[in-house]
Amino acid sequence: MAEDADVIVVGGGLAGLVAATEIADAGKRVVLVDQEGEQSLGGQAFWSFGGLFLVNSPEQRRLGIKDSQELALQDWMGTAGFDREEDHWPRKWAEAYVAFAAGEKRDWLRAMGHRIFPVVGWAERGGYDAMGHGNSVPRFHVTWGTGPGIVEPFERRAREAAKRGKLVFKFRHRVDALSVTNGAVDGISGTILEPDNVERGQSSSRKVIGAFSLRAPAVVIASGGIGGNHDLVRQNWPKRLGVPPKFMISGVPEHVDGRMIGITEAAGARLINRDRMWHYVEGIQNWSPIWPRHGIRILPGPSSMWFDATGKRLPAPLFPGSDTLGQLEYIMSTGYDYSWFILTQSIIKKEFALSGSEQNPDLTGKSWRMTIRRATNKGAPAPVEAFKQKGADFIVRDNLADLVAAMNKLAGTDLLKFDAIKAQIEARDREIANPYVKDAQVMNLHNARRYIGDKLIRTAKPHRILDPEQGPLIAVKLNILTRKTLGGFETDLDSRVFGRDGQIIKGLYAAGEAAGFGGGGVHGYRSLEGTFLGGCLFSGRNAGRAAAKAVA
Ligand SMILES: Cc1cc2nc3c(=O)[nH]c(=O)nc-3n(C[C@H](O)[C@H](O)[C@H](O)COP(=O)(O)OP(=O)(O)OC[C@H]3O[C@@H](n4cnc5c(N)ncnc54)[C@H](O)[C@@H]3O)c2cc1C
């Protein structure tokens, strides 16, 4: 049977776009299929904050941050906690990826026009020992233009390749099966969905209007993870994180449905680490949703006080921005699937950032005039203010008694006791005047402000929470927000997929979230952040280059 292309790429998210452009630029013919319409090209990456993990970058050096590949690898390994036999390839991917992040990643992107916001963020700060979880230094480099800014170079390259006749887009083509001949993958088949002009990110029609099949000697699976499918998230929920939450909100569009994962497994591919996932605990319900159950993650600065549903302060070092999975494990151990921030107006205006391109019009719109306001600190960014006023999870009051009463009302319980909350806040407030400090979170604030980037735009001047001058008081009910799938198809460094018999499946490649961002789980159990887009770039590039070479 005639071949329709040299390589088929399933999924037009970042990983698929990178793979497809590498294949086309190697002179091969590629077909890129996606179940969504053209308006959703770029997948999740378009909605992302565009944060990238880079090591020893010029941006870091300019801010006085001393980073190195050795330090980053130490942090990565301490964070990943690889401890399984099937971590063989993930570990190799981790070493290769850290080298990429310390090496050619920045220059490769820069040559395509990608630019970085000069203040480097400090995500997942840890708080254990030097070999434990977390970034020893700030490494979260925000793309100037956020998510759209990271998609743009690859979309441009893909469209140029389409003009040259090297790349064909097939939108609204949903893959239902892989074809396998004599153990080798050699094509795909599926259904054609009716055209739908819904806005980007909205759920599109699933009405079938036809069928298709395509043949090629190589197929790259870049179909994303399972975060939009709460049934799959619950099914794969690991015991170590307690029972799956009853209530969750979605940090990803509905097309992150995980369906292609089952289809690829049915063709013999080996899925590993399916119980590893990365969900956030600072989720707020979007007052203006785009996709079903749409939630936004607060990227919190370090000062908010964090209480569980019963009103007990989270233990050290589970402070905002320190250890996402540690927080998730703690919260689920309380028997409730939510928790609370209590903070002041001074904290919200300096420390609250919302993850997502549409929540950061200054950075997304590449407006220096708007962005500079983050440092001048005149008020919270407009999207944060909008949440404060309209968000279902926000409460603003002038005094603590009213705040706690409103928190109980919102939760529909009387779990929070005013006297107990007051005592914990007053105790913490007493440490503010004390330069030697015993409270680990307050120590952290002083440490954070030693970094110029945090002092400028991320960490409020330490103050008493109950100081009326810093008010009003704000409480935020924090929900669990699904996002990333850390496990995936086991691959070698060429992104070639292993079968369940331990042999490479000829013709089959996987990249991006579907491949656990490389190898079947480059992150191990946890992430240092900004590592997902980068994992798509690296694994997509490896898959594209290897597939192009294999079909030469
Ligand atoms: C709001 C938000 C903020 C984020 N911020 C960051 C950040 O700052 N830094 C970072 O590193 N990461 C971030 N991420 C994560 C990152 O964006 C994603 O992990 C990454 O973009 C996943 O890319 P992907 O190509 O693997 O999958 P996706 O983007 O999910 O693309 C997969 C594509 O495959 C298609 N598809 C699926 N199944 C089929 C099928 N059967 N047939 C045909 N097509 C199919 C889908 O329609 C989709 O277009 C963020 C994510 C979100 C949503």
Side-chain angles (χ1 to χ4, degrees):
M1 233 192 280
E3 276 160 0
D4 299 285
D6 295 314
V7 188
I8 295 165
V9 175
V10 180
L14 184 64
L17 273 173
V18 173
T21 49
E22 289 292 320
I23 295 160
D25 286 359
K28 305 294 170 198
R29 292 173 307 135
V30 57
V31 175
L32 180 60
V33 295
D34 201 294
Q35 60 190 353
E36 297 306 314
E38 185 166 6
Q39 67 275 36
S40 283
L41 187 63
Q44 295 178 61
F46 179 91
W47 298 107
S48 78
F49 196 38
L52 293 179
F53 175 86
L54 291 170
V55 177
N56 192 17
S57 68
E59 287 75 19
Q60 286 173 303
R61 290 197 294 271
R62 251 177 250 133
L63 293 162
I65 300 163
K66 292 191 174 39
D67 200 4
S68 68
Q69 190 173 329
E70 293 70 33
L71 185 63
L73 193 62
Q74 169 184 313
D75 288 351
W76 192 290
M77 291 302 171
T79 293
F82 293 123
D83 62 356
R84 297 176 176 171
E85 207 183 304
E86 55 266 45
D87 283 331
H88 173 77
W89 285 105
R91 194 190 291 268
K92 282 192 180 306
W93 270 88
E95 286 161 0
Y97 178 67
V98 171
F100 175 63
E104 61 177 313
K105 181 177 178 183
R106 184 178 177 279
D107 290 347
W108 180 59
L109 288 170
R110 200 173 165 79
M112 285 182 257
H114 178 269
R115 292 293 180 270
I116 291 166
F117 178 62
V119 183
V120 182
W122 193 357
E124 293 294 299
R125 300 175 189 212
Y128 306 93
D129 64 30
M131 292 183 74
H133 170 67
N135 282 298
S136 302
V137 293
R139 296 194 176 104
F140 190 78
H141 296 67
V142 176
T143 297
W144 186 234
T146 70
I150 190 81
V151 172
E152 193 272 332
F154 299 98
E155 179 173 349
R156 189 183 63 237
R157 279 175 63 192
R159 292 200 187 281
E160 282 164 10
K163 272 197 209 131
R164 296 198 307 274
K166 288 290 177 195
L167 187 151
V168 176
F169 291 110
K170 291 209 179 282
F171 296 109
R172 303 299 282 159
H173 281 56
R174 187 182 67 188
V175 180
D176 298 330
L178 298 179
S179 72
V180 184
T181 310
N182 298 329
V185 170
D186 58 0
I188 56 172
S189 60
T191 43
I192 302 173
L193 303 172
E194 72 171 347
D196 192 339
N197 58 6
V198 289
E199 298 281 315
R200 179 194 279 275
Q202 290 180 346
S203 302
S204 63
S205 162
R206 284 294 177 260
K207 188 168 168 220
V208 173
I209 55 165
F212 75 96
S213 66
L214 292 166
R215 292 181 64 84
V219 176
V220 180
I221 307 299
S223 55
I226 64 172
N229 183 336
H230 289 196
D231 290 340
L232 277 182
V233 170
R234 289 197 174 94
Q235 259 172 45
N236 291 300
W237 193 266
K239 283 207 176 61
R240 62 183 179 278
L241 294 179
V243 292
K246 283 195 210 71
F247 181 73
M248 293 189 285
I249 52 181
S250 274
V252 295
E254 206 174 23
H255 67 66
V256 189
D257 58 17
R259 199 173 151 270
M260 193 65 210
I261 292 186
I263 293 166
T264 310
E265 270 193 288
R270 183 175 185 224
L271 187 71
I272 57 173
N273 298 318
R274 67 173 83 222
D275 63 330
R276 291 180 182 164
M277 28 183 118
W278 190 246
H279 305 307
Y280 292 107
V281 282
E282 313 95 339
I284 47 177
Q285 299 167 78
N286 194 345
W287 59 271
S288 176
I290 296 165
W291 54 76
R293 304 176 282 205
H294 189 169
I296 300 290
R297 183 200 177 198
I298 301 169
L299 298 160
S303 303
S304 298
M305 286 188 77
W306 203 337
F307 296 90
D308 68 24
T310 70
K312 203 169 139 219
R313 193 171 169 199
L314 263 60
L318 302 182
F319 313 124
S322 65
D323 174 8
T324 293
L325 234 55
Q327 285 141 0
L328 180 55
E329 192 178 337
Y330 174 83
I331 290 166
M332 294 317 297
S333 78
T334 65
Y336 299 90
D337 47 20
Y338 65 91
S339 60
W340 296 97
F341 274 167
I342 294 184
L343 60 150
T344 61
Q345 176 63 24
S346 299
I347 294 173
I348 202 171
K349 75 180 181 191
K350 187 125 182 184
E351 296 198 6
F352 266 37
L354 302 171
S355 182
S357 50
E358 83 288 6
Q359 300 296 337
N360 294 278
D362 50 353
L363 293 163
T364 304
K366 302 185 183 177
S367 163
W368 278 114
R369 196 175 50 80
M370 284 167 76
T371 307
I372 230 91
R373 285 194 209 133
R374 289 183 184 232
T376 54
N377 203 14
K378 292 266 154 44
V384 174
E385 270 302 323
F387 265 93
K388 201 179 101 190
Q389 283 162 28
K390 302 181 200 166
D393 301 305
F394 282 71
I395 301 166
V396 184
R397 294 290 186 276
D398 286 327
N399 65 74
L400 189 62
D402 288 354
L403 191 82
V404 174
M407 289 163 77
N408 274 330
K409 192 163 171 228
L410 181 62
T413 68
D414 59 359
L415 287 170
L416 303 174
K417 306 296 174 214
F418 168 68
D419 288 341
I421 302 266
K422 181 163 168 269
Q424 292 175 87
I425 299 179
E426 282 178 348
R428 176 264 183 213
D429 279 359
R430 266 179 221 116
E431 300 272 321
I432 290 293
N434 170 10
Y436 307 117
V437 192
K438 154 177 102 170
D439 186 285
Q441 184 174 9
V442 177
M443 282 185 210
N444 249 3
L445 302 187
H446 294 306
N447 191 40
R449 284 178 63 88
R450 286 164 56 203
Y451 167 48
I452 174 88
D454 265 11
K455 195 167 181 177
L456 271 175
I457 57 171
R458 245 0 220 140
T459 307
K461 202 162 169 203
H463 59 268
R464 290 186 302 109
I465 301 272
L466 295 179
D467 177 355
E469 296 288 302
Q470 311 285 341
L473 285 166
I474 299 161
V476 188
K477 184 163 180 252
L478 304 169
N479 308 285
I480 290 165
L481 173 101
T482 63
R483 185 94 95 213
K484 286 127 188 173
T485 311
L486 299 187
F489 292 110
E490 184 182 27
T491 62
D492 69 2
L493 288 175
D494 281 339
S495 299
R496 299 184 301 167
V497 177
F498 288 94
R500 281 190 289 277
D501 58 0
Q503 301 300 310
I504 296 279
I505 301 179
K506 195 161 178 285
L508 188 61
Y509 298 77
E513 204 161 335
F517 302 94
V522 68
H523 295 97
Y525 288 92
R526 291 162 202 241
S527 163
L528 291 170
E529 283 292 352
T531 54
F532 308 101
L533 294 168
C536 290
L537 297 172
F538 190 52
S539 63
R541 199 176 78 149
N542 286 10
R545 289 182 180 178
K549 213 162 149 194
V551 298

